[in-house]
Amino acid sequence: MAAAAAPMEVDTGNGVFQRKQAMYKSLDESFEIQKEMYRGQQYSQIYFARLHLMRTLLYSLLPTWKPHLPICTVLGLEEGKECIIVGTLYKHMKLKPSILDEYSKERSASPLVKPHNFVHSDDYLVLEDESGRVKLRGSLLLPSVYVTGIVVALHGKETGAGDFMVEDILEAGLPHQIELPLNSGEDKYVVFVSGLSVGSSSANPLHFQLFVDHITGHLGDEKEQGIAAHIVQVVIAGNSVEFPRGLLNGQNLGSKDQSRLSEPIKELDILLTQIAAGIPLDIMPGTSDPANFSLPQQPLHKCLFPGSAAYNTFRSCTNPHSFELDNVRFLGTSGQNIEDLARYSDAKSKLEFMERTLRWRHLAPTAPNTLGCYPFTDRDPFFIEKCPHVYFVGNQEKYEASLIKGSDGQVVRLICIPKFAETGTAVVLNLRNLECHALSFGTQFSS
Amino acid sequence: MASSDMKGFFRQKKKLGVSKPKSLKKSPKTKHSASCGSDLVQPPALISHGSLDLKDEYDDKEEVLRQFDMNMAYGPCLGMSRMDRWERANALGLHPPKEVENLLRAGKVNSECLWDGRV
């Protein structure tokens, strides 16, 4: 039934350009929730699954870290006895919005307008396991760096006041990575774009059309087209549409309003058909897309894309999204996990947040505390099992990229994909050597 | 209220190991709930065999399963059926007791945890 896309051919004077192809393998199975059944469970189940999974992992790392120290549970702590405890971090935050504030009789000191970042100098950390919780002290553990939901091992001792004085911390670290033979073979490019926001007033349709024309080889001379023929995959990382919010005020929609509501998605489908006709395309849902709210977001339904879904190059994916292209492992989200970290902790840049999630070995530690999440009972799909080679996050303010190295020789390319509607910038990654650069489109003419 | 009767009431509860008062149970198996908490129904003088008739379908098998529910090594019990929780514990390598699995597979026991419907 699906129309197969022929290798993209562009007729030129010298001959026809054949588009390169890469072997694709989807790894999204753990993010799908079709088989899950909700039985009224609460979030304690996913926290237990996470704690058990990561505690087992940390126990296996302890012999190489500090083999001579005993391991305790929180209830088993004795005053002055140096030991190691493993548990989930909880950060008590003064400014964290609480639903109960709405019911308080007096207006509290915190302003009604929510600040973007809720970090305060009075925040403190608590370590929790099944037996109990203990407040953490010590200058090593900066509360502004950590968030609720991370599982760590701590070396220290209980103080007279009943707190735990931390002397050292062990995080799970980067997981094992399959080594890649880099710098061999030919150049193959993956194009990342996010925040298209089709239908919003700030999105310039000309920018996106330029983008589509460029990657499908309809722009530029032979040299440009030759480069475009090396693009093997396009990934759209969330927020592809923006619906007119004024219509969604709880009232019944008239027929004219109904067609206005569906215009953005129809426009997007027309543009995506142009891409899918020639290049494999992965589209992920984001915060503003018509998908479920809580992570993992499920793939956008194919009925939204009557034109593009007919092609077998069109793939609707989950958020987070994980796949392999020519054995290069990709992992990425539409930005919700990093945005939430930015609300509840501090860092120099978004790349630093991304690096932290890898070193904590967990994609979204703040889920389900402050980030909506499905109440899994027996697993935690956000646990990162294998180290990706490329880790991308969509809908960021600007393009940023860096390369991080792990203690076992892992190498990860981190990419922040900017919002296309605001910046007109996409990101291009070379599979051969993991180098990446920005691809900007502008329509301003200097007067 | 006769204090000796209240002591007898509490003693019975400790033997069964259940701390929640039975009158709160919403399930249809409440044949004996009328006898809970009220010594008007069963005044001490009428107790001929020395113990209160407060036992409902709660038997030894259920006791084993309730201990399994309460054991925090296997995680929270609310919101999961007992068999699902046992299978999760097994999959995580926690070696849950085989006896519990046998009881659950045999049937005739409550498949949901002891707080099911009560919380």
Side-chain angles (χ1 to χ4, degrees):
Chain A
M1 258 303 273
M8 166 75 192
E9 293 182 359
V10 178
D11 221 359
T12 72
N14 292 344
V16 175
F17 281 113
Q18 294 276 6
R19 185 175 292 284
K20 299 266 173 271
Q21 292 186 331
M23 234 173 28
Y24 180 94
K25 185 168 139 199
S26 167
L27 301 165
D28 279 345
E29 209 185 312
S30 59
F31 298 124
E32 280 160 15
I33 57 175
Q34 277 78 4
K35 296 195 189 72
E36 299 289 330
M37 182 113 87
Y38 182 65
R39 287 202 177 87
Q41 67 267 28
Q42 296 185 6
Y43 289 121
S44 55
Q45 308 283 3
I46 186 175
Y47 274 122
F48 171 72
R50 183 185 302 177
L51 175 62
H52 184 82
L53 182 62
M54 297 196 70
R55 186 167 52 189
T56 315
L57 169 70
L58 286 166
Y59 278 173
S60 70
L61 296 175
L62 289 178
T64 35
W65 186 51
K66 296 193 181 193
H68 51 283
L69 287 170
I71 304 167
C72 272
T73 59
V74 169
L75 263 192
L77 282 175
E78 287 164 32
E79 191 184 326
K81 176 176 152 196
E82 214 175 313
C83 60
I84 295 179
I85 51 174
V86 181
T88 314
L89 280 178
Y90 173 77
K91 182 155 95 168
H92 179 96
M93 300 182 77
K94 191 164 159 168
L95 294 177
K96 182 176 160 192
S98 160
I99 190 78
L100 299 173
D101 291 341
E102 284 180 43
Y103 297 98
S104 68
K105 296 258 164 61
E106 330 94 36
R107 286 280 160 222
S108 56
S110 51
L112 287 172
V113 175
K114 294 191 179 75
H116 172 70
N117 182 284
F118 300 110
V119 169
H120 193 274
S121 50
D122 285 346
D123 297 339
Y124 60 87
L125 292 167
V126 171
L127 190 84
E128 198 177 296
D129 68 7
E130 299 104 328
S131 57
R133 39 170 35 205
V134 64
K135 192 163 164 186
L136 300 176
R137 291 221 175 279
S139 50
L140 187 71
L141 226 53
L142 275 175
S144 60
V145 169
Y146 296 93
V147 286
T148 302
I150 313 164
V151 179
V152 290
L154 298 174
H155 160 214
K157 51 168 99 86
E158 189 184 353
T159 65
D163 303 332
F164 189 79
M165 179 63 80
V166 177
E167 285 169 41
D168 203 355
I169 175 170
L170 174 71
E171 295 167 351
L174 261 61
H176 173 71
Q177 187 186 63
I178 295 174
E179 222 184 296
L180 271 191
L182 288 179
N183 269 319
S184 66
E186 48 194 357
D187 285 339
K188 284 187 191 174
Y189 297 105
V190 177
V191 174
F192 295 95
V193 71
S194 76
L196 296 169
S197 300
V198 172
S200 87
S201 44
S202 60
N204 188 339
L206 183 55
H207 284 157
F208 191 35
Q209 190 61 58
L210 270 178
F211 167 79
V212 171
D213 287 342
H214 176 86
I215 59 174
T216 50
H218 288 110
L219 267 188
D221 62 355
E222 281 164 27
K223 189 155 153 265
E224 289 283 333
Q225 289 175 332
I227 296 171
H230 284 271
I231 299 175
V232 292
Q233 175 76 47
V234 175
V235 177
I236 300 181
N239 291 353
S240 314
V241 282
E242 198 174 290
F243 290 102
R245 287 281 144 187
L247 292 178
L248 302 170
N249 54 4
Q251 291 181 346
N252 288 333
L253 290 175
S255 57
K256 185 158 158 264
D257 282 344
Q258 271 184 16
S259 50
R260 251 186 74 202
L261 190 64
S262 55
E263 255 165 44
I265 200 86
K266 283 193 194 136
E267 206 184 312
L268 177 69
D269 186 36
I270 293 170
L271 291 160
L272 292 184
T273 312
Q274 298 172 35
I275 305 179
I279 319 176
L281 169 68
D282 277 7
I283 180 163
M284 293 161 61
T287 330
S288 66
D289 290 319
N292 57 314
F293 166 75
S294 55
L295 293 185
Q297 283 183 295
Q298 296 306 289
L300 293 165
H301 202 282
K302 291 225 159 113
C303 69
L304 293 166
F305 306 105
S308 20
Y311 290 93
N312 67 353
T313 45
F314 178 86
R315 280 180 217 107
S316 185
C317 309
T318 57
N319 169 35
H321 182 34
S322 179
F323 61 99
E324 258 178 29
L325 207 54
D326 277 353
N327 294 322
V328 176
R329 196 178 177 106
F330 289 73
L331 176 64
T333 68
S334 300
Q336 292 102 323
N337 60 333
I338 301 301
E339 291 303 312
D340 210 52
L341 277 183
R343 268 183 228 124
Y344 296 97
S345 61
D346 282 333
K348 287 194 297 291
S349 67
K350 294 288 168 71
L351 291 173
E352 201 178 327
F353 287 126
M354 290 171 71
E355 187 177 343
R356 284 182 194 162
T357 57
L358 280 182
R359 294 204 190 277
W360 292 330
R361 221 184 278 206
H362 201 276
L363 259 184
T366 52
N369 186 36
T370 45
L371 188 56
C373 159
Y374 181 86
F376 293 97
T377 51
D378 52 357
R379 63 197 178 95
D380 186 347
F382 304 112
F383 175 71
I384 305 173
E385 293 200 5
K386 285 214 189 88
C387 193
H389 298 99
V390 179
Y391 179 32
F392 62 92
V393 166
N395 297 296
Q396 298 308 303
E397 303 304 320
K398 55 181 167 106
Y399 161 66
E400 286 181 295
S402 74
L403 210 59
I404 63 164
K405 299 205 166 44
S407 55
D408 270 339
Q410 300 100 328
V411 171
V412 190
R413 163 66 67 193
L414 304 181
I415 307 176
C416 284
I417 310 165
K419 290 183 197 151
F420 192 83
E422 285 167 25
T423 60
T425 306
V427 181
V428 180
L429 169 89
N430 189 341
L431 274 185
R432 183 174 62 90
N433 51 18
L434 296 187
E435 273 173 20
C436 62
H437 60 270
L439 189 64
S440 297
F441 297 92
T443 48
Q444 295 289 19
F445 298 101
S446 49
S447 48
Chain B
M1 250 197 259
S3 60
S4 60
D5 184 62
M6 286 308 289
K7 275 208 203 113
F9 178 71
F10 280 123
R11 205 185 322 126
Q12 185 79 345
K13 280 172 73 154
K14 269 193 199 138
K15 196 163 70 178
L16 292 173
V18 173
S19 54
K20 240 183 147 78
K22 288 224 173 69
S23 50
L24 284 179
K25 198 160 179 190
K26 293 190 205 109
S27 68
K29 304 171 244 170
T30 47
K31 285 190 289 295
H32 306 282
S33 60
S35 58
C36 303
S38 167
D39 47 327
L40 280 169
V41 179
Q42 232 169 23
L46 286 180
I47 301 169
S48 54
H49 50 276
S51 58
L52 292 166
D53 183 20
L54 289 170
K55 225 169 159 61
D56 47 7
E57 65 301 327
Y58 193 129
D59 62 355
D60 289 331
K61 287 193 218 152
E62 181 67 14
E63 172 64 23
V64 170
L65 290 173
R66 286 188 183 187
Q67 288 304 323
F68 171 68
D69 283 343
M70 289 284 97
N71 191 338
M72 60 184 178
Y74 307 124
C77 65
L78 253 187
M80 285 182 92
S81 73
R82 282 170 167 163
M83 197 62 224
D84 280 343
R85 186 160 169 267
W86 192 94
E87 269 164 14
R88 174 180 76 181
N90 202 22
L92 292 176
L94 294 164
H95 301 296
K98 208 100 178 67
E99 190 195 351
V100 171
E101 186 198 8
N102 296 335
L103 280 173
L104 289 170
R105 287 206 195 281
K108 292 198 216 109
V109 288
N110 194 0
S111 63
E112 300 301 322
C113 79
L114 87 134
W115 305 124
D116 184 62
R118 293 164 137 192
V119 181

